[in-house]
Amino acid sequence: MQPAQPLPPRQPEIPTWTLVTVTYNSAEQLRRHWQSRVPASVRWIVVDNASTDDSREVAAALGAEVIALPSNIGFGAANNVGYAQSDTEFVGFVNPDVSGDWDSLPTLADATRQSGGLLTPQLINHDGSLQPNGRGWPFLLSKVLHRTTDGSRDRSYRRYAKRDEMRSVVWIMGAVVLASRDVFERLDGPWDEWFFVYYEDADICLRARRLGIPTIVAGGVHWRHGWERATSTFNHHAWRREIPSMMKFYARYPLLLSPFMALTQRWLEKGGPR
């Protein structure tokens, strides 16, 4: 009887996803939302925008590759720094206040291949209720009503995906944006660094739309999102950032200033200027 031959060493799993997270004083969010071990199929790159807390140390302890920037260059620019370091078939941009379900990544990869577009899971609140992370046309009036009223009845703007639904929307919140590398390469950036923070998520989806790239909410996958938006209450520093981005956004998309939303929307969806 011949002695048993030793098994060959197991080859390390080659990552298929790179997830990029931008942090700015986000240590508590990382501790709360990123406690589950990131699998070997994922590279997690954290780009830190010169935090004054221990965001960098927390991210490194949780298994991230940390890029420490010497100054705060903004959300989109920092995302692009992380993207430039990625080398996988699929790339995702995921905020520090999101808890991802890693077991769903193969499903999201398949959905991304099939849709050929920008994709997000259906986000949920801590109590399991759905968040409207899919959105309709970002008319200024819609955004004002969304901020100043309940907004829960406006189904044309706040959009959710059912469990069995791949729902096409106009834009998705920047908390989770996923796509194949080929799609992001077509978007040239992929994030527009003209926006320091805010409105870059609507902009990337509208730029994709101009190229015939769809934006999809995958209702069969739920990820939890803390949704700690600074401008939901009056915060001088947050609004000081948002207002310049708002002015840039509507200067780029002036049709979205129209008060005749229904008529303008029908025209845009028939292929009018965007």
Side-chain angles (χ1 to χ4, degrees):
M1 183 175 181
Q2 294 186 357
Q5 296 296 314
L7 293 173
R10 178 177 293 180
Q11 296 298 314
E13 186 173 356
I14 299 174
T16 55
W17 281 94
T18 300
L19 300 183
V20 177
T21 298
V22 174
T23 54
Y24 178 69
N25 295 336
S26 307
E28 285 306 310
Q29 294 175 332
L30 292 173
R31 290 189 182 98
R32 191 178 312 135
H33 296 280
W34 290 80
Q35 287 300 319
S36 62
R37 185 175 181 81
V38 179
S41 61
V42 174
R43 284 185 67 195
W44 182 30
I45 299 175
V46 168
V47 183
D48 184 70
N49 259 332
S51 293
T52 56
D53 67 358
D54 57 344
S55 294
R56 296 179 295 277
E57 293 77 11
V58 171
L62 291 171
E65 304 170 36
V66 179
I67 300 173
L69 300 178
S71 62
N72 186 349
I73 63 174
F75 178 74
N79 269 328
N80 286 342
V81 169
Y83 178 76
Q85 298 300 313
S86 67
D87 56 1
T88 51
E89 180 181 1
F90 301 102
V91 181
F93 299 95
V94 183
N95 278 7
D97 61 349
V98 172
S99 299
D101 173 9
W102 309 130
D103 291 340
S104 68
L105 285 174
T107 300
L108 290 170
D110 288 343
T112 300
R113 285 192 191 99
Q114 292 169 15
S115 70
L118 301 176
L119 192 84
T120 186
Q122 173 61 60
L123 299 183
I124 59 174
N125 299 303
H126 288 297
D127 62 2
S129 59
L130 302 183
Q131 285 184 11
N133 61 307
R135 299 293 174 88
W137 289 94
F139 290 101
L140 178 61
L141 183 56
S142 291
K143 294 183 74 69
V144 169
L145 292 174
H146 174 66
R147 293 290 185 82
T148 58
T149 65
D150 176 9
S152 60
R153 298 179 182 177
D154 187 0
R155 297 183 180 181
S156 66
Y157 184 63
R158 297 160 56 100
R159 300 184 182 182
Y160 311 83
K162 299 176 182 177
R163 278 282 186 183
D164 59 349
E165 185 180 21
M166 293 281 287
R167 185 168 188 185
S168 178
V169 297
V170 178
W171 66 283
I172 52 178
M173 287 165 45
V176 183
V177 179
L178 315 172
S180 68
R181 173 173 301 282
D182 290 343
V183 167
F184 282 132
E185 288 296 312
R186 290 177 64 190
L187 291 170
D188 189 24
W191 298 86
D192 192 330
E193 299 178 15
W194 192 39
F195 301 96
F196 185 86
V197 67
Y198 303 124
Y199 288 86
E200 63 283 292
D201 45 9
D203 174 73
I204 194 173
C205 296
L206 290 180
R207 287 190 288 118
R209 190 180 185 92
R210 282 176 169 171
L211 296 172
I213 298 170
T215 299
I216 305 292
V217 181
V221 176
H222 286 181
W223 284 17
R224 198 172 303 275
H225 178 212
W227 207 0
E228 298 168 358
R229 185 180 174 88
T231 53
S232 60
T233 57
F234 184 78
N235 178 311
H236 171 72
H237 297 290
W239 280 102
R240 188 180 64 180
R241 296 292 192 192
E242 173 150 7
I243 290 172
S245 291
M246 180 189 299
M247 294 174 66
K248 291 176 180 179
F249 181 80
Y250 288 107
R252 176 172 288 178
Y253 305 103
L255 284 174
L256 297 175
L257 293 169
S258 170
F260 307 106
M261 294 189 295
L263 289 173
T264 307
Q265 178 175 325
R266 284 197 292 271
W267 187 51
L268 289 170
E269 291 178 349
K270 288 180 178 179
R274 302 170 187 183

